[in-house]
Amino acid sequence: MDKAEQKTGLFSVATALFVRDIRLAARRSTDVFNPLVFFVIVVSLFPLGVGPEPNQLQLMAPGVIWVAALLATMISLDRLFSHDFETGSLEQIVLAPQPLTLIIFAKIAAHWTLTGLPLVILMPLVAMQMNMTTDMIYISFLTLIIGTPILSLIGAIGAALTIGLRGGGVLVSLLVLPLYTPVLIFGAGAISASAQGFSPDAHLSLLGAFLALSLTFAPLAAAAAVRVSLD
Amino acid sequence: MNITKYAAPVVFYPLAGKLIPWFAWATGITLTIGLIMGLFIAPTDYQQGESYRIMFIHVPSAWMSMLVYVVMATAGAVALAWKTRLSEMLATACAPIGASFTLIALITGAIWGKPMWGAYWVWDARLTSELVLLFLYLGFMALQASIDDPRRAARAAAILALVGVINIPIIHFSVEWWNTLHQPASVSKISAPSIHPSMLWPLLINAVGFHLFFATTVLMRMRTEVLIRERHKSWIADIVGVKP
Amino acid sequence: MLEITNLSCVRGDKPLIEGLSFDVSEGQLLHITGRNGAGKTTLLRCLCGLSSPAAGQISWLGQNIDTNKDAYHAQMAYVGHLNGHQGELTAVENLDFARALGGAHTEITVTDTLKKLGLYNSRLLPTKFLSQGQQRRLALARLLVQERKLWIMDEPFVALDTESTTLLEGIVSDHIKNGGLAILTSHHALNLTQSRQLNIDRG
C-alpha cells in the first residue's frame, strides 16, 4: 500500500466509524433525545425556582444555559463507549490496524453531532424562556458552537476512564465537571459581557484557544484511557 | 550509583523504613520552631491584628496543595511511560495527602476570611481555584477507588492527573479572570513584596516543615501501598513472617 | 512467525502465567487448555495486544508486537468471549464495518461469507434478533471477511450446534492448510489433525 492510498484509508475508516455511530444512534433514538429533553427541563426549572421576574432571568440566563448544557452533555457521555464495551465492539475497534487516536476522534465527532449540535439548535428556544435579547442569543450561539465540542472532547476522556465501572455515570461527573470550569467561565462570560455592552471577543478568543488545546490533547488522552480501561 | 535499583519495591521498602524516623523528627522540630515564631514571636499586624497568624498554616498548605498535585502527575507520567510500579504507588500515596492540604487551605482560608471580609466564604479567586483543585483530588481518588484492578486503577488515575495538571493553570487563569470581571476591588490577602522579615521567616520555616511532613507521610503511605500491592510476592511474606 | 518468550501475565496483582514460552508457525494450530481461572483468556488478550504482559516478549515476524502494533493488528484477527457486533445493526452492516475498520481491501465478499455460514437469510435483521448460535457464527464470519493471517479465538465453539461446530472446524482447517496460523481455547476436544495442545495449568 503506498502513502496516498494509506491516507485515504485512514479517512475512510474515520468516516465509516462516524457513519456507524450516527446510524446506531438513529436506531436508539431515545439515547439522543433524552439529554436534549433534560436540557430543556433544567432550564425551565429555573424560572420556577427563582421567580419569573424578566430582568433577573435575563441576568441569570447565560449561566443557566451553560450549566444546563454542561449537565446535558455529561449525562450523554455514557453513550460514547458503554454500548461498544458491553458488546465487545470496543475490543475490535482497539484492535483495528489504525491509529486509535483517529478512531476515537471520529467517535467524539459523532458524539458532538448528536449532542452538542442539537443543543446549539435548541438553545434559542430556551433562551426566549429566559428573556434573552436577540443579540444575546446570537452570542450564545457563538459560544455554544465553539464550546460544546470542548465538552465532548474533555468528556470523552472521562467516559474512557470509567468504561465498564459500577456507578460510572456519577463518577464521570466527578471527573469531568471540574475540568469544564474554564468553558463555563468563558462561555457564560462572553454572553454576560455582551449583554453589559462590552465586547465578547476576548472571551470568545480564549474559548477558541481552549478548543484548539482540547482538539490536540483530548483524543490522545481518551485513546490512552481506552487502552488502559480494556487492559 | 544505580538509581533504578531504588525503584524496586523490595529495595524501597526497608530504605523508606530507615528514612521515615529522620523525616519525622525533622518535621517535628521545624514545625515547632516555625509555629512558636509565627504564633508568639512575630509582631501583631497593624491592620489585621492577631487573626493574620492563621497565614502560617494557610499559606504553606495552599503551596503544598499545588506542589503535591504536580508531584502526583509527574509520578503518574513516569508510571505511564516506564510502567514503574513504585511511581504508581507514589501517585496513589500523594492523593489523600494533597487533598488534605487543599482542605486545610480551604478551611483556614474561610476562618481567615470571616474577620477580613465579614463572611466565611467569598468567591475570592485563590479560594475558588483551591476549591476546584479539591474537586480534582476527589475525582482522582474516586476513580482509583472504583477500579478493582490496582494496575488499571493506577494508570487510569495517572491519565486523569496528567489531564488535570494541564488544566490547572487554565482553570486558575479563568477563575482569576472571572474574579476581576465580577469584583474588581477584590482584596489580595498577602501583598508579598511588603511582608516584614519577622513574619516571612516563620512562614518559610513552616513551609519547609510542611515539605518534610509531606515527605514523611508519603513514605509511610507508600510503604503501606507496597505491602498491599506486593502481597503475593515471597519477600513480603519473609518480612511479615507469614506464608502468603 | 509468532514467538512467545518467557511470558508472564498478571490479573490485578495476581500472577497467573509465569515464564511461558512457545511459538506458532505457518500452518499450525495451537489449542490452549487449562482449568477455569488458569488464565487462558488473559493469555489470549496478551497475545492479541489488548493487555500488556507483566514480563516477557511476544514477537511477530521477529519483531516485538509493541513496536508496531498497527502492522501486527493488520495481520491478526481476534474473536473474544463477546461477539463484538452491535445488536442494532444488521449482519451485513456489522461485517461491512468490520471490513472498513480493517482498512485493506479483501477478496471475499460479505454475501459469500454470510451464505457460507448460513446467515444469508437473516442478513437484514438487526443482529439482536438472531439466536446465540447465529450471533456466534457472525463473529466467526468476521474472521473470513477480514482475511488475516493469524486467528486468535477465545472459546469459538461456545453456543454452536454440532453442524456449526463441524463447519467451523472445516473453516479453521482450511485456514491452516492455506498457511494461516490459529490459536484457540476450547473445552471440547478438537477434530483437527493439525492441532497441537498447550496446557497452561501450573504446578
Side-chain angles (χ1 to χ4, degrees), chain A residues 89-104:
Chain A
S89 307
L90 198 58
E91 290 172 354
Q92 296 300 326
I93 288 170
V94 170
L95 290 177
Q98 319 290 344
L100 187 59
T101 311
L102 177 91
I103 294 178
I104 298 296

Side-chain angles (χ1 to χ4, degrees), chain A residues 44-116:
Chain A
S44 309
L45 283 179
F46 272 87
L48 298 176
V50 301
E53 210 278 303
N55 286 331
Q56 193 186 5
L57 284 184
Q58 196 181 63
L59 207 64
M60 290 176 51
V64 169
I65 285 186
W66 260 101
V67 168
L70 248 56
L71 295 177
T73 309
M74 231 190 45
I75 61 165
S76 72
L77 286 174
D78 183 49
R79 189 184 69 218
L80 199 49
F81 296 115
S82 66
H83 291 306
D84 280 335
F85 173 72
E86 283 154 16
T87 55
S89 307
L90 198 58
E91 290 172 354
Q92 296 300 326
I93 288 170
V94 170
L95 290 177
Q98 319 290 344
L100 187 59
T101 311
L102 177 91
I103 294 178
I104 298 296
F105 184 78
K107 279 194 85 69
I108 297 172
H111 178 263
W112 178 77
T113 313
L114 294 163
T115 312

Side-chain angles (χ1 to χ4, degrees), chain A residues 13 16-17 20 23-24 27-28 83-89 91-99 103 230-231, chain C residues 45 48 50-52 70 73-74 76 78 82-86 88-90 93 97 100-103 142 148:
Chain A
V13 169
L17 195 90
R20 163 187 176 271
R23 181 180 281 157
L24 271 173
R27 293 190 191 163
R28 249 191 318 242
H83 291 306
D84 280 335
F85 173 72
E86 283 154 16
T87 55
S89 307
E91 290 172 354
Q92 296 300 326
I93 288 170
V94 170
L95 290 177
Q98 319 290 344
I103 294 178
L230 285 186
D231 193 336
Chain C
R45 289 176 73 86
C48 69
L50 277 175
S51 303
S52 44
D70 286 346
H73 286 159
M76 193 273 309
Y78 172 68
L82 298 165
N83 289 325
H85 45 249
Q86 282 282 1
E88 271 79 10
L89 300 181
T90 67
E93 285 166 342
F97 175 66
L101 262 189
R142 207 173 51 228
R148 306 277 169 81

